[in-house]
């Protein structure tokens, strides 16, 4: 655990950081909670610089010895609108009430900054030992269905399994989904889960029906191991390859690039056969690598041929060469380049001189 030079009887490490320490894993962010008003507490710390205050949430960012640290006040959260952001109330509540708003017992542990003692109100220590994900109450997924995706993420990261009742609650929720939910939060969890690049996560996502949170349309698991393909071709945007395969993800807020990847895939999907290498190259021209990998769900052989071989076959002839031949620029240029490419795909050994000959033939110069 990151060393924090702050000790107070009311100040606790909380959530993922305590879980990670018990699992012997490195934690990237350290969550601290203060039983009481964290903002008032922060002002009393010697040599502190207050960087940012969020009064309604009772959180504060401080700088101490060149290090920025976030401290939250204990708080209660309620879900008046199920599936949306919770309402914050009861700032400065007892530690137990802050613990009870959390998602799983393994994320509901606190550790005193003063004594190092672990506070476990929900049985999180045993669940960590037994690798179990357990919700804190039966309405947990109704309040916040993104927790279903969080459970998937933790099951993959730590090899944890849902306890029997939690699995039953998940199944019940997935049979009766309230689609009026925060898709921004859902997307954040999907991104974190699928950027782990795990075929096992994808299989659970589909086979357990978790994908129905995104879209009610049914979907079958493609017979392709995307984890291997992603490792082999190393695309930038991993999550969209998995989630973008679903028939309709229009509910998720996508970036421009993500939308292009998915729209291109949906257009390409109907193209199930190609008559030549040239047709393959033209179909994949201008597409993101992610879209091309997604197309493996339709025709893996074509994609492998393109990514291993065809995409490296490039013509050397340029517009400048055609100008030098006395041809005025026009749409015929592209047709000429395609004509050369079509030949070069059949005979990749073609050199520049032979390409120029082909260009001349195309324009009827020889
Ligand atoms: P990591 O950051 O390693 O992915 P984490 O558990 O720290 O894991 P965060 O998303 O940073 O995950 O959340 C910090 C803590 O806040 C969690 O450990 C959990 O106690 C609580 N939490 C986060 N999201 C939810 C949620 N949707 N519902 C209830 N509690 C949550």
């Amino acid at each position: 655990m990151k060393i924090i030079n702050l000790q107070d009887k009311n100040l606790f490490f909380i959530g993922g950081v305590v879980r990670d320490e018990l699992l012997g894993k490195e934690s990237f962010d350290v969550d601290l909670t203060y039983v009481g008003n964290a903002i008032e507490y922060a002002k009393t710390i010697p040599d502190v610089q207050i960087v940012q205050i969020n009064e309604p949430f009772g959180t504060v960012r401080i700088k101490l010895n060149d290090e920025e640290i976030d401290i939250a006040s204990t708080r209660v959260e309620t879900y008046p609108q199920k599936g949306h952001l919770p309402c914050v109330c009861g700032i400065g509540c007892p530690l137990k009430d802050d613990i009870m708003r959390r998602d799983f017992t393994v994320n509901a542990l606190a550790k005193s900054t003063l004594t190092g003692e672990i506070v476990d109100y929900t049985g999180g220590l045993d669940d960590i030992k037994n690798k179990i994900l357990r919700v804190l109450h039966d309405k947990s997924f109704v309040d916040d269905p993104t927790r279903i995706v969080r459970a998937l993420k933790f099951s993959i990261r730590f090899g944890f399994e849902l306890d029997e009742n939690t699995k039953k609650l998940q199944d019940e929720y997935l049979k009766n989904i309230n689609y009026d939910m925060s898709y921004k939060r859902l997307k954040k969890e999907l991104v974190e889960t699928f950027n782990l690049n795990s075929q096992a996560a994808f299989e659970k996502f589909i086979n357990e029906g978790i994908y129905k949170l995104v879209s009610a349309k049914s979907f079958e698991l493609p017979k392709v191991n995307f984890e291997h393909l992603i490792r082999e071709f190393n695309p930038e945007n991993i999550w969209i390859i998995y989630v973008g395969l679903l028939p309709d993800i229009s509910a998720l807020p996508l970036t421009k690039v993500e939308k292009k990847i998915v729209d291109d895939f949906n257009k390409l999907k109907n193209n199930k056969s190609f008559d030549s290498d040239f047709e393959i190259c033209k179909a994949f021209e201008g597409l993101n690598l992610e879209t091309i990998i997604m197309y493996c769900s339709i025709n893996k052989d074509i994609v492998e041929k393109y990514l291993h071989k065809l995409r490296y076959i490039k013509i050397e002839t340029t517009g400048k060469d055609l100008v030098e031949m006395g041809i005025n620029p026009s749409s015929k240029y592209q047709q000429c380049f395609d004509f050369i490419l079509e030949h070069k795909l059949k005979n990749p050994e073609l050199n520049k001189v032979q390409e120029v000959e082909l260009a001349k033939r195309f324009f009827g110069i020889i």
Side-chain angles (χ1 to χ4, degrees), residues 14-17 19-20 26-29 31 77 79 99 101-104 106-109 140 144 146-147 150 153-154 157-158 185 188-189 192:
I14 198 141
V17 63
R19 172 202 69 212
D20 288 346
E26 200 181 335
S27 231
F28 296 105
D29 48 75
D31 289 317
E77 288 178 346
Y79 288 82
I99 293 279
R101 72 181 168 82
R102 292 173 186 271
D103 49 2
F104 302 104
V106 296
N107 288 342
L109 294 163
S140 188
D144 181 359
T146 65
R147 290 172 183 164
R150 286 177 63 80
K153 175 177 76 178
F154 294 126
R157 275 175 51 189
F158 306 128
R185 300 180 78 200
K188 177 180 169 284
E189 296 301 338
E192 287 182 15

Side-chain angles (χ1 to χ4, degrees), residues 37-67:
N37 186 322
I39 301 167
E40 293 309 316
Y41 161 68
K43 291 176 187 163
T44 68
I45 301 169
D47 303 321
V48 79
Q49 190 189 331
I50 308 276
V51 179
Q52 207 183 334
I53 287 180
N54 182 334
E55 200 79 50
F57 275 77
T59 58
V60 58
R61 176 168 296 166
I62 60 168
K63 199 167 186 182
L64 198 63
N65 309 326
D66 276 341
E67 194 168 22

Side-chain angles (χ1 to χ4, degrees), residues 98-273:
D98 184 282
I99 293 279
M100 295 316 289
R101 72 181 168 82
R102 292 173 186 271
D103 49 2
F104 302 104
T105 59
V106 296
N107 288 342
L109 294 163
K111 179 179 169 179
S112 164
T113 57
L114 192 63
T115 62
E117 182 203 350
I118 297 222
V119 182
D120 179 11
Y121 290 117
T122 67
L125 280 172
D126 275 348
D127 284 343
I128 286 191
K129 235 182 274 155
N130 299 320
K131 297 182 169 288
I132 297 267
L133 288 164
R134 188 192 311 269
V135 285
L136 304 197
H137 59 89
D138 284 2
K139 290 273 172 275
S140 188
F141 295 142
V142 178
D143 282 347
D144 181 359
T146 65
R147 290 172 183 164
I148 292 178
V149 181
R150 286 177 63 80
L152 174 63
K153 175 177 76 178
F154 294 126
S155 76
I156 296 302
R157 275 175 51 189
F158 306 128
F160 286 4
E161 295 281 344
L162 297 190
D163 94 292
E164 208 178 304
N165 181 49
T166 303
K167 175 72 168 70
K168 188 182 111 230
L169 295 169
Q170 174 180 300
D171 291 344
E172 277 169 15
Y173 186 79
L174 292 173
K175 272 193 212 125
N176 190 14
I177 297 169
N178 171 11
Y179 284 99
D180 174 24
M181 70 172 89
S182 164
Y183 284 95
K184 193 173 158 210
R185 300 180 78 200
L186 186 67
K187 179 186 170 186
K188 177 180 169 284
E189 296 301 338
L190 290 168
V191 171
E192 287 182 15
T193 305
F194 285 103
N195 276 346
L196 296 171
N197 186 26
S198 158
Q199 183 70 17
F202 191 47
E203 287 174 11
K204 274 191 177 201
F205 185 61
I206 305 303
N207 295 337
E208 293 184 11
I210 302 171
Y211 75 94
K212 294 214 162 139
L213 291 172
V214 182
S215 155
K217 290 191 184 160
S218 57
F219 181 70
E220 268 181 39
L221 188 71
K223 291 182 186 57
V224 175
N225 188 315
F226 281 95
E227 182 179 328
H228 291 167
L229 288 162
I230 288 166
R231 232 182 287 131
E232 181 175 2
F233 296 112
N234 204 16
E236 217 173 280
N237 205 335
I238 297 173
W239 84 277
I240 196 72
I241 294 180
Y242 289 104
V243 179
L245 291 167
L246 299 181
D248 178 12
I249 65 162
S250 55
L252 296 176
L254 299 183
T255 64
K256 253 192 192 158
V257 176
E258 289 161 352
K259 192 163 166 8
K260 178 180 180 325
I261 290 169
V262 175
D263 288 349
D264 284 347
F265 170 66
N266 287 327
K267 276 186 231 147
L268 195 62
K269 228 163 41 178
N270 302 323
N271 220 346
K272 294 206 168 65
S273 69

